[in-house]
Amino acid sequence: MKVIVTAMIASLHAMPTSTSEVVDEVLYGMTVKRIRDVNEGWVYIQTAYRYEGYCQKADLLVDEVLVSKWEREAQHIIFQSFADVLQQPRIQSSKLVTLVRGSSICVVSEENLPGEWSAVQLVTGQRGYVRTKWLQSKMTERSVSEQQFRENVVTTALSYLGAPYRWGGKSPLGIDCSGLCSMAYLLNGVTIYRDAKIVEGFSIVKIARDQMQKGDLIYFPGHIALYMGDQLYVHSSIGGNEVSINSLEENHPLYRHDLATTILEVGSLFQEKLCN
């Protein structure tokens, strides 16, 4: 059975305790599969990209009919770093909830609403208002050309510049390496595995390093980055403390020897799989 995330950010834990390792985050409006109930407070879930872990029941809404309706109708996402959903379409209004980039939301029609505002429906059925420019229609895989996708995925990754490093994080409030790359792709309509490795069954395939282009993924031991072109890459690393840009070019001021010399493989959505 699928359930809907109702918390701004719901942590996915390695064990059913709030003090255990956070392995991932799921954002408001995302649907996940409920595998089993653990106890009164915890449930074991699986995400769309096959990540599994323990989540607090209080962060989820269980309603099969509503989940199906939500998946059909929640066709927009928050694209601003974070946005308040307000009770009225005016900046002075009280907020209903704050949502971060990547959260799913349902846009509804309302007559005589100023263009700078959009009416939205929350999972609970409440109606609120968000700045129109902070919303984006959900993308579908290959809805744009290859070149445009490559440009878009890099631009999206760069929108997280300066976000602090957070283990298991997936939002502008804190994000890790695979969180950054997976969100850059997800916000452009493509689901990739949320980890620093290429996994069979997902769209990313291994290619030769000399075939690497803008928007491809660079894999290091326990780390992943998104290639920007011109020997530059954007990533979130413990060593850098935040989302930042580095270079593979030895004489470049942003060069990181520890990463440039330990590339394991390169992955691409578009190019042919590398023959072993």
Side-chain angles (χ1 to χ4, degrees):
M1 173 193 276
K2 287 187 176 180
V3 295
I4 312 173
V5 177
T6 56
M8 179 178 74
I9 300 173
S11 296
L12 197 62
H13 290 265
M15 297 296 292
T17 63
S18 58
T19 56
S20 67
E21 177 189 351
V22 175
V23 297
D24 192 14
E25 291 177 339
V26 279
L27 309 180
Y28 183 93
M30 289 184 170
T31 57
V32 295
K33 185 184 295 185
R34 183 176 67 172
I35 304 298
R36 66 177 184 274
D37 288 348
V38 179
N39 53 41
E40 290 185 359
W42 292 86
V43 60
Y44 191 71
I45 66 169
Q46 182 187 66
T47 68
Y49 40 90
R50 303 206 303 262
Y51 239 59
E52 297 183 0
Y54 299 90
C55 186
Q56 294 192 57
K57 280 187 181 180
D59 292 340
L60 305 171
L61 177 66
V62 181
D63 186 321
E64 275 190 273
V65 175
L66 185 56
V67 168
S68 180
K69 185 174 185 291
W70 182 259
E71 288 187 320
R72 290 195 311 271
E73 299 179 358
Q75 294 302 312
H76 285 76
I77 57 171
I78 299 294
F79 206 75
Q80 178 75 350
S81 293
F82 51 90
D84 289 338
V85 179
L86 303 177
Q87 292 183 1
Q88 300 293 329
R90 54 190 182 89
I91 203 67
Q92 300 89 350
S93 178
S94 299
K95 73 170 184 177
L96 293 171
V97 65
T98 299
L99 303 179
V100 296
R101 181 183 296 134
S103 302
S104 294
I105 198 74
C106 179
V107 173
V108 294
S109 61
E110 183 172 314
E111 293 183 1
N112 304 317
L113 188 64
E116 65 265 29
W117 292 96
S118 288
V120 297
Q121 182 176 302
L122 299 176
V123 175
T124 58
Q126 287 178 289
R127 177 170 293 204
Y129 300 87
V130 176
R131 294 279 190 179
T132 301
K133 66 180 180 180
W134 293 349
L135 295 168
Q136 176 183 289
S137 297
K138 287 185 177 179
M139 305 285 285
T140 57
E141 188 168 354
R142 312 296 172 87
S143 60
V144 296
S145 67
E146 174 183 340
Q147 192 54 45
Q148 190 60 59
F149 178 89
R150 291 182 179 277
E151 296 287 344
N152 290 351
V153 79
V154 170
T155 299
T156 302
L158 291 175
S159 71
Y160 288 87
L161 274 177
Y165 181 89
R166 176 188 288 174
W167 181 268
K170 209 164 63 180
S171 84
L173 300 179
I175 197 163
D176 65 11
C177 63
S178 56
L180 174 68
C181 293
S182 63
M183 285 304 294
Y185 271 74
L186 183 64
L187 292 174
N188 286 284
V190 177
T191 299
I192 65 173
Y193 189 63
R194 194 243 197 273
D195 215 339
K197 60 183 177 181
I198 296 175
V199 173
E200 194 73 29
F202 289 86
S203 302
I204 302 298
V205 296
K206 183 179 179 180
I207 62 169
R209 183 172 171 179
D210 61 8
Q211 293 181 319
M212 182 167 61
Q213 297 182 52
K214 179 182 294 189
D216 288 337
L217 299 167
I218 311 172
Y219 295 86
F220 311 89
H223 189 57
I224 182 174
L226 192 140
Y227 186 61
M228 298 169 52
D230 299 322
Q231 297 300 299
L232 296 172
Y233 58 93
V234 56
H235 64 140
S236 182
S237 70
I238 298 175
N241 297 316
E242 62 185 22
V243 178
S244 57
I245 296 171
N246 285 103
S247 175
L248 298 171
E249 195 172 304
E250 189 171 2
N251 296 322
H252 196 283
L254 297 177
Y255 177 71
R256 273 189 59 170
H257 178 81
D258 62 324
L259 293 178
T261 57
T262 57
I263 295 176
L264 295 176
E265 53 192 9
V266 174
S268 178
L269 176 67
F270 294 99
Q271 299 195 31
E272 293 297 323
K273 187 173 182 179
L274 182 66
C275 295
N276 293 320

